[in-house]
Amino acid sequence: KAKNLALRLRGKKILTVGSQTFEVGIADNILARAQGLSGRPSLGETEGLFFIFPFASSTGFWMKDMNFPIDIVWINGGKIIGFSEHLEPEPGKSLFALPIYYPPGRVNEVLEINAGTVKKYNLQIGDAANLGE
């Protein structure tokens, strides 16, 4: 029941990154951010989860209970500042042994999408990220 919690909390919105649009769930509270994509079986080709933080920080992300590989797009002030690509789930690994992935600088938004999507849509550092309705 909780596997789609993050995407159900606030419905879906359209996020434009560069020239590509994604249908994203919104993770803008502690529960939704903690749940992330954990337990979810997959994402559609142009789906993602968009994390919104109250202030910019160097918050780390991990692949706890993930079932598929992802790309992470690090965003600050509405612009991409970096990527962590092809992050693989590590089922059965102890919680304390999971790697933590950090942004290259402070971020106030993060987009999780399917692995390979950054390259497929040629997303670039400096591209704008705009959330619509």
Side-chain angles (χ1 to χ4, degrees), residues 27-112:
D28 62 354
N29 63 56
I30 291 170
L31 287 175
R33 288 192 294 261
Q35 173 71 31
L37 293 171
S38 296
R40 187 177 168 98
S42 64
L43 277 176
E45 182 179 333
T46 57
E47 286 184 322
L49 185 59
F50 191 57
F51 295 77
I52 301 171
F53 296 92
F55 52 86
S57 68
S58 294
T59 300
F61 279 62
W62 61 3
M63 298 287 287
K64 181 182 172 294
D65 297 326
M66 287 293 294
N67 294 313
F68 55 93
I70 62 169
D71 289 347
I72 295 179
V73 181
W74 306 106
I75 302 164
N76 193 42
K79 301 270 186 211
I80 294 175
I81 67 161
F83 307 101
S84 294
E85 297 178 71
H86 295 281
L87 307 181
E88 292 287 338
E90 299 186 53
K93 202 170 213 186
S94 153
L95 204 58
F96 301 105
L98 289 172
I100 299 175
Y101 302 97
Y102 290 96
R106 296 165 62 86
V107 296
N108 63 342
E109 298 168 330
V110 174
L111 174 63
E112 290 184 343

Side-chain angles (χ1 to χ4, degrees), residues 11-31:
K12 290 188 178 181
K13 295 196 176 206
I14 298 298
L15 177 71
T16 303
V17 182
S19 60
Q20 180 59 39
T21 58
F22 296 93
E23 187 177 14
V24 296
I26 304 297
D28 62 354
N29 63 56
I30 291 170
L31 287 175

